[in-house]
Every structure is written in C-alpha cells, then in structure tokens.
Amino acid sequence: MPVVHDIQAAHPGAVVDWVVEPGFAPLVRRVKGIGEVFECAQRRWRKAWWTRAVRTEWRAFKASLQAHHYDAVIDLQGLTKSAVVARLARGMRYGLANRTDGSGYEAPARWLADVAVPVTQHIHALDRSRVLAAKALGYTVQGPPVFGLQSHGARCAVPTLVFVHGTSRDDKLWPETNWVQFGRRCVSSGFSIVLPHAGDAERERAERLAREIGPQASVWPAMSLDDLVDRMGGTQGVIGVDSGLSHIAVALDLPHVQLYNFPTAWRTGPQVSHGHRHQASLERDPTPEVDLVWAAWQVVRRAGRS
C-alpha cells in the first residue's frame, strides 16, 4: 500500500492499478489513489483449471488486464505465479533480481521480468516493495510509509481495544492466560475489549477469553473484511499476534502492539525506523510476557495521543 502513495508523490497524477486475489480486493479498493482492481483467483483456479467456468474466468481476466498499456508493470512478490501474471500485462515489466532474507522468492521470477532489480538482502518486507518500485520508476524512497487505507467506521463511544488473538499458525499464538491477565488490566484502566474471529476455533477461543475477562469484553460477530476494517478503524488500539488483522491495524495507523514468538519482527512488524512511535513489535522466546506487553502498550498509547 505505501508503494501507491510513493508513486503518486513522485509522479503526481499517476494511475496505479492492482492485481489481487479476490479475498483481499476489498482492502485494495479502500486505498487512496487506486485505479482499477483486477481480481485474479489463482488459488481457486488451480483447483479446477480444466473446467469451462475457470477457463472463461481466466480469459476474461486476461482480456481486462491486456486492455491497458502500462508505463511499468511491477511484480512486488517475486513469485513465479505473480511473475506470470505480470508477464501477461502490456508494458515494461520489473521484478526482484534476488531473494531477500525470509522471503518466499522464486528464481523464475527474475527471468520472467524484463528488468530485474537488485535489492539489499536483509530488508523489511515493506521496505523491499518501496525500494523495488522506486528503482523501477526512478525516484528515491522518502519519509515513513503512508498506507492510505481508509476506514469509514464511527469512533467507538467508549475507549475500546481489539484483541487479535487468532493466526494461521498455532505456534504464533499468545497463551490464553496471558490474554485474560492483560485484558483484565485493560478493563481496570477504563477500556472495553472486543475480540474478532474467523472460523469456529477462533470463535470458541474468543468466547472463552470474553468470559474470563468479564462483562467489559465482547465477541464481535462474523463479518466481511469491509465491515471488519470499518469496525477496527473506530477503536482506540489493537494488541495482536503476527497475523493479517494485526497488519491491517498497522495500515489503519492505530496504536498497536504486535506480538512475536519468533525473531521475525524485523521483517514484517511495525518498526521505529518507519516513524510510527505509536506502533511497536515485541518478540520473546517462548512468548512476550504480560508485563512487557503492558509496558509497551502504555508507550504506544501515549505516543498515539501526541
């Protein structure tokens, strides 16, 4: 998302289109400065590529993408599948020349690009995309990242914190006893707690946590990504494990503490170097302690007020 802001700051009036999986299209359409959003359902298409319906969808996607001629086509992912899609588009194609630490880079992506751009190996994932686009389009990255993700939700009537307790990997979870202890501290300091969820396992965990924290904690109903962004954007802050929702909290510019059980925060978590004092990454082995998270929350909370 910050790449869109960077491009338009360097080239006022630039039109930026985006190819994205359908599940994330609602997020992209909210980004300030986005033109067309092309939904590319590669994950679903791969499961039934031989069917007439999928072939029809693929042809329609290809035709809509190729209806434009671009000054630049930039593959920010560095995967074979993303490079193939970039190859379909009409225009000079730019991609990553090398793998960066911890990334899922695939070597064929280099050879599918017209111009392969070298990037420093040890680099934050967000910075990697900003640097790649800057080198491709001839400008210099300046200032902290600006996501431009717009929320249209009303501000919560009472101070409210979101607990992002779910993630795709169990080894990234924060212990439930920690959530309860931390939640009770938040309630005692005047906050209400809300718990989103996706799927039965997360819903059951959210319900357990809400019961243990007390009546000031509640479970949000299942909702669309659009609604979730609006609801989250109206809160006063987020505490979350390394997950998509936590990264959305960063993009919404909310006071936020992101929790890591592995030494990977440097690659994906909010950073002081990004200029956001009201957001922080915490990592510990085996997991961040409650007292440490509480202290970090006090810091980002105060920074968010200034």
Side-chain angles (χ1 to χ4, degrees):
M1 293 178 184
V3 169
V4 178
H5 174 270
D6 291 349
I7 291 172
Q8 294 182 332
H11 301 283
V15 176
V16 181
D17 295 347
W18 197 322
V19 177
V20 66
E21 280 278 350
F24 300 104
L27 279 180
V28 175
R29 290 192 173 99
R30 287 171 172 265
V31 176
K32 185 177 180 181
I34 282 293
E36 288 196 55
V37 176
F38 300 104
E39 296 188 19
C40 181
Q42 282 187 322
R43 295 175 185 175
R44 178 169 57 80
W45 291 341
R46 284 199 301 268
K47 297 176 182 178
W49 58 267
W50 62 90
T51 64
R52 178 180 296 178
V54 167
R55 292 201 302 272
T56 299
E57 285 186 54
W58 171 257
R59 284 195 296 268
F61 163 75
K62 182 179 177 181
S64 63
L65 183 63
Q66 293 182 338
H68 306 264
H69 189 282
Y70 293 98
D71 296 293
V73 179
I74 306 176
D75 170 21
L76 297 176
Q77 287 188 295
L79 303 176
T80 303
K81 65 179 182 179
S82 59
V84 167
V85 171
R87 194 73 191 173
L88 291 175
R90 299 169 62 208
M92 183 67 73
R93 306 164 190 91
Y94 298 85
L96 291 162
N98 57 283
R99 181 180 182 275
T100 58
D101 291 342
S103 73
Y105 178 78
E106 295 171 341
R110 174 181 183 135
W111 311 116
L112 289 168
D114 296 315
V115 179
V117 179
V119 177
T120 301
Q121 184 172 339
H122 191 77
I123 189 171
H124 192 280
L126 187 154
D127 297 328
R128 179 187 64 197
S129 292
R130 296 184 74 193
V131 168
L132 170 57
K135 288 186 175 182
L137 299 182
Y139 62 86
T140 302
V141 173
Q142 295 183 352
V146 177
F147 290 83
L149 182 63
Q150 302 173 87
S151 170
H152 310 297
R155 195 71 168 165
C156 292
V158 297
T160 303
L161 276 180
V162 183
F163 281 4
V164 176
H165 56 94
T167 183
S168 59
R169 286 172 40 185
D170 287 349
D171 57 357
K172 291 184 177 183
L173 294 174
W174 207 35
E176 291 188 28
T177 53
N178 288 12
W179 281 118
V180 172
Q181 185 180 344
F182 188 83
R184 289 174 178 171
R185 288 194 190 185
C186 293
V187 168
S188 67
S189 67
F191 281 90
S192 292
I193 307 299
V194 291
L195 298 116
H197 60 85
D200 291 340
E202 287 190 15
R203 176 183 52 77
E204 292 169 3
R205 184 191 308 118
E207 291 171 348
R208 287 195 301 272
L209 294 176
R211 283 196 302 269
E212 291 296 322
I213 293 171
Q216 288 80 16
S218 61
V219 178
W220 272 347
M223 62 185 78
S224 68
L225 189 56
D226 262 339
D227 290 338
L228 189 55
V229 170
D230 283 339
R231 292 282 290 271
M232 185 180 290
T235 66
Q236 282 68 42
V238 179
I239 310 295
V241 295
D242 176 20
S243 72
L245 279 188
S246 288
H247 298 302
I248 289 174
V250 174
L252 286 171
D253 205 31
L254 292 168
H256 174 47
V257 179
Q258 198 165 117
L259 311 178
Y260 286 79
N261 299 338
F262 301 95
T264 55
W266 70 267
R267 191 174 75 233
T268 57
Q271 303 292 315
V272 173
S273 62
H274 290 161
H276 296 162
R277 295 184 298 114
H278 58 291
Q279 297 174 340
S281 302
L282 284 182
E283 60 182 33
R284 285 294 186 275
D285 182 8
T287 195
E289 301 88 349
V290 172
D291 287 343
L292 183 66
V293 179
W294 180 253
W297 167 241
Q298 301 312 306
V299 172
V300 300
R301 179 184 176 188
R302 287 192 295 269
R305 291 172 175 169
S306 60

